[in-house]
């Protein structure tokens, strides 16, 4: 009984789990819809052959750098917005949003310029195979407007979530799902009188769905929402008094996520040089991994928001107890996700028209992911959730830089390009940072040094 009494405060109560579910379930469903779109894209393009699938996958590696940068900008801002929401300080909340949007516009302009100026050069970073470069450059040409549309809709979505508004982003994603599937099918295969555009058709379908999502999210955020009450005129707010706090909290998040994105691209470069079979197998594995870990991302977002609100109310002891509870949830969900991957990997691989070599690699990668996801779940809920919500962004930046660039990338390159190990071990070494971060962040949580004043 004494042991039970000691751990009871860390088990959470009914209200805690209700709050988590209220935030996490809509976010998870939104992520599930996004993954469904990606999965349908890969299935459609996979039917055209491995060149089309590889071109789309590698082109999206660069676009994903921008996506992760925007996630960093938005999540960095949400550390402040959730804290200010807990304090009920709407004026400071709007200032944080203004700084976030200005930074988003700058980053979007840089990525747009790079894509306009050198689409083939961007593809050449990831592969030396000319057919893939040519197809990927065509994909890039249709993706140019996506940076602005994606950046604004994504960052505004994160802010809406940080104040508990999760329904609209979910409904927007549902609509974007059907828009994307319809127009991808139409333009990839040339249905309903449209030209058969192949890889470029996938990019055009994605562009149309991005425009739809932008119209819904940003139209609501800037013109209708009353909870935050942010309007276009607030873009001209004087924010000098908040810039220091914003930079201190948010820039480490941006740097961390940007370096993580670059690191993932470096991983893609290693895979691209191993061969198109490995790239195609990884594209299949990535979708399956995202499918099985979608609830992890929902819990991570919920833990960051709830931690921010709790600390905004000044209750640090409660935030610490909630952090331990979230860690336990992370371990449990990781184990369940690993089991799910093992169960669905066979049927998922069977959906794709791939050769025997690619199929064998995909099976090995699925096995590796089934183990890695347990540790990924634990560290994701801490690094992208609890610790980030506590404002411990400098520590997390160090963790991302150190373990990805010092361990995962060099060991993965050695395993794949020099040692020529089996695919299972190549992928495990490429993701070794997930193991290390999980252990390191557990100790950080226990130290209580992650709770920062803002």
């Amino acid at each position: 009984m004494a042991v039970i009494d000691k751990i009871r405060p860390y088990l959470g109560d009914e209200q805690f789990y209700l709050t988590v579910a209220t935030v996490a379930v809509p976010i998870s469903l939104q992520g599930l819809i996004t993954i469904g779109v990606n999965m349908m894209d890969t299935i459609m393009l996979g039917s055209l052959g491995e060149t089309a699938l590889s071109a789309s996958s590698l082109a999206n590696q660069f676009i994903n750098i921008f996506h992760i940068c925007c996630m960093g900008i938005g999540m960095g801002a949400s550390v402040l917005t959730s804290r200010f929401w807990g304090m009920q300080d709407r004026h400071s909340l709007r200032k944080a949003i203004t700084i976030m949007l200005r930074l988003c516009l700058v980053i979007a302009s840089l990525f747009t310029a790079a894509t306009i100026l050198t689409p083939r050069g961007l593809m050449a970073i990831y592969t030396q195979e000319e057919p893939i470069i040519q197809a990927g450059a065509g994909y890039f040409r249709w993706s140019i407007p996506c940076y602005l549309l994606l950046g604004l809709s994504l960052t505004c979505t994160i802010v809406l979530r940080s104040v508990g508004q999760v329904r609209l982003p979910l409904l927007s994603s549902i609509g974007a799902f059907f828009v994307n599937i319809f127009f991808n099918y139409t333009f990839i295969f040339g249905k309903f009188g449209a030209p058969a555009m192949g890889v470029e058709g996938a990019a055009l379908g994605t562009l149309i769905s991005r425009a739809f999502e932008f119209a819904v999210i940003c139209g609501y955020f800037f013109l209708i929402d009353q909870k935050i009450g942010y309007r276009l005129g607030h873009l001209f707010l004087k924010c000098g008094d908040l810039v220091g706090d914003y930079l201190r909290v948010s820039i480490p998040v941006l740097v961390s996520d940007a370096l993580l994105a670059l690191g993932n691209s470096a991983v893609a470069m290693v895979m691209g040089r191993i061969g198109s079979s490995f790239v195609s197998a990884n594209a299949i594995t990535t979708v399956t991994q995202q499918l099985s870990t979608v609830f992890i991302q929902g819990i991570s977002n919920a833990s960051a928001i709830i931690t921010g609100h709790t600390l905004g109310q000044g209750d640090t002891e409660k935030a610490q107890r909630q952090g331990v509870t979230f860690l336990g949830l992370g371990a449990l969900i990781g184990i369940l996700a690993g089991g799910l991957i093992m169960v669905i990997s066979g049927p998922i691989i069977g959906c794709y028209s791939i050769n025997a070599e690619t199929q064998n690699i995909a099976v090995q990668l699925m096995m590796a992911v089934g183990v890695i996801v347990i540790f990924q779940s634990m560290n994701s809920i801490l690094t992208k959730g609890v610790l980030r919500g506590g404002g411990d962004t400098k520590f997390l930046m160090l963790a991302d830089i150190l373990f990805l660039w010092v361990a995962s990338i060099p060991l993965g390159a050695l395993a794949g390009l020099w040692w020529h190990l089996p695919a299972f071990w190549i992928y495990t070494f490429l993701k070794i940072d997930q193991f290390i971060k999980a252990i390191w962040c557990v100790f950080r949580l226990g130290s209580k040094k992650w709770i920062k004043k803002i």
Side-chain angles (χ1 to χ4, degrees):
M1 289 295 294
V3 174
I4 294 175
D5 289 338
K6 287 183 179 180
I7 66 173
R8 184 174 287 117
Y10 299 98
L11 296 178
D13 55 23
E14 182 179 347
Q15 183 58 45
F16 170 79
Y17 289 107
L18 180 61
T19 304
V20 172
T22 301
V23 179
V25 170
I27 294 174
S28 299
L29 289 174
Q30 186 178 359
L32 186 63
I33 292 165
T34 301
I35 291 161
V37 171
N38 293 338
M39 187 172 181
M40 292 302 297
D41 284 354
T42 56
I43 291 174
M44 289 183 194
L45 289 171
S47 68
L48 301 180
E50 292 183 9
T51 295
L53 182 58
S54 296
S56 172
S57 175
L58 292 178
N60 273 297
Q61 289 295 329
F62 180 75
I63 296 171
N64 284 341
I65 296 176
F66 174 73
H67 186 279
I68 295 177
C69 285
C70 288
M71 287 291 293
I73 295 169
M75 291 304 295
S78 75
V79 174
L80 294 175
T81 57
S82 60
R83 193 78 65 94
F84 289 139
W85 183 254
M87 299 175 183
Q88 289 299 295
D89 184 355
R90 284 179 173 78
H91 184 60
S92 295
L93 191 155
R94 290 174 189 142
K95 287 183 178 180
I97 294 171
T98 296
I99 300 171
M100 174 195 77
L101 292 174
R102 290 173 182 173
L103 189 56
C104 176
L105 290 172
V106 171
I107 300 296
S109 298
L110 293 175
F111 274 81
T112 300
T115 305
I116 291 172
L117 294 173
T118 179
R120 289 180 58 85
L122 294 176
M123 285 301 301
I125 295 173
Y126 300 104
T127 182
Q128 302 301 315
E129 298 183 32
E130 178 58 30
I132 297 177
I133 291 175
Q134 183 175 348
Y139 189 98
F140 271 135
R141 281 191 289 273
W142 287 100
S143 300
I144 289 169
C146 285
Y147 297 109
L148 182 63
L149 301 175
L150 171 62
L152 291 176
S153 61
L154 179 58
T155 51
C156 290
T157 291
I158 292 171
V159 170
L160 288 171
R161 288 174 179 171
S162 74
V163 299
Q165 297 203 61
V166 294
R167 185 181 178 187
L168 180 72
L170 173 60
L171 295 176
S172 173
S173 289
I174 293 172
F177 171 82
F178 290 107
V179 170
N180 188 280
I181 295 299
F182 174 77
F183 284 105
N184 271 16
Y185 178 74
T186 298
F187 291 114
I188 289 174
F189 301 112
K191 303 297 183 179
F192 312 113
M197 300 171 63
V199 173
E200 294 186 32
L204 177 55
T206 300
L207 171 59
I208 295 171
S209 69
R210 295 291 187 206
F212 172 85
E213 203 164 22
F214 169 82
V216 173
I217 294 293
C218 293
Y220 175 82
F221 187 81
F222 291 113
L223 302 175
I224 299 173
D225 172 63
Q226 298 296 326
K227 198 170 185 179
I228 300 172
Y230 194 91
R231 297 296 179 260
L232 289 172
H234 289 128
L235 284 169
F236 303 99
L237 278 174
K238 293 182 179 180
C239 307
D241 60 322
L242 192 61
V243 168
D245 284 336
Y246 185 93
L247 295 179
R248 178 173 58 84
V249 173
S250 300
I251 292 303
V253 177
L254 174 59
V255 171
S256 175
D257 283 6
L259 288 172
L260 181 64
L262 291 172
N264 289 336
S265 281
V267 169
M269 293 175 202
V270 174
M271 293 181 181
R273 282 158 176 76
I274 293 173
S276 60
S277 292
F278 201 103
V279 173
S280 297
N282 181 63
I284 297 168
T285 304
T286 298
V287 172
T288 307
Q289 182 181 9
Q290 290 173 339
L291 185 65
S292 63
T293 60
V294 64
F295 196 59
I296 296 171
Q297 303 308 315
I299 295 289
S300 297
N301 280 271
S303 63
I305 293 166
I306 291 170
T307 300
H309 291 174
T310 302
L311 291 175
Q313 296 163 4
D315 196 340
T316 57
E317 289 301 317
K318 182 179 179 181
Q320 178 68 27
R321 292 195 302 271
Q322 288 175 340
V324 175
T325 306
F326 278 120
L327 174 62
L329 278 175
L332 177 62
I333 294 169
I335 292 169
L336 294 174
L340 177 62
I341 289 172
M342 297 299 182
V343 170
I344 68 174
S345 60
I348 291 293
I349 294 171
C351 291
Y352 295 86
S353 301
I354 51 178
N355 61 38
E357 180 187 2
T358 303
Q359 190 173 49
N360 177 56
I361 293 172
V363 169
Q364 293 187 55
L365 297 190
M366 290 287 192
M367 292 175 60
V369 169
V371 177
I372 293 166
V373 72
I374 299 172
F375 297 89
Q376 179 186 351
S377 176
M378 293 170 62
N379 86 63
S380 179
I381 287 174
L382 290 179
T383 59
K384 309 304 180 189
V386 175
L387 303 186
R388 179 172 286 182
D392 197 21
T393 53
K394 289 183 180 178
F395 173 86
L396 299 175
M397 179 179 68
L398 177 63
D400 282 335
I401 295 170
L402 186 63
F403 301 134
L404 178 63
W405 288 91
V406 174
S408 288
I409 293 172
L411 286 175
L414 287 171
L417 302 178
W418 280 276
W419 299 336
H420 302 293
L421 296 180
F424 175 91
W425 290 109
I426 295 172
Y427 196 86
T428 299
F429 279 122
L430 285 169
K431 300 293 182 179
I432 198 71
D433 62 312
Q434 302 290 343
F435 297 91
I436 304 172
K437 278 198 293 187
I439 296 169
W440 204 33
C441 288
V442 167
F443 284 103
R444 183 65 172 184
L445 177 67
S447 73
K448 299 185 180 181
K449 295 179 181 179
W450 58 276
I451 299 175
K452 306 295 183 182
K453 290 184 179 181
I454 296 176

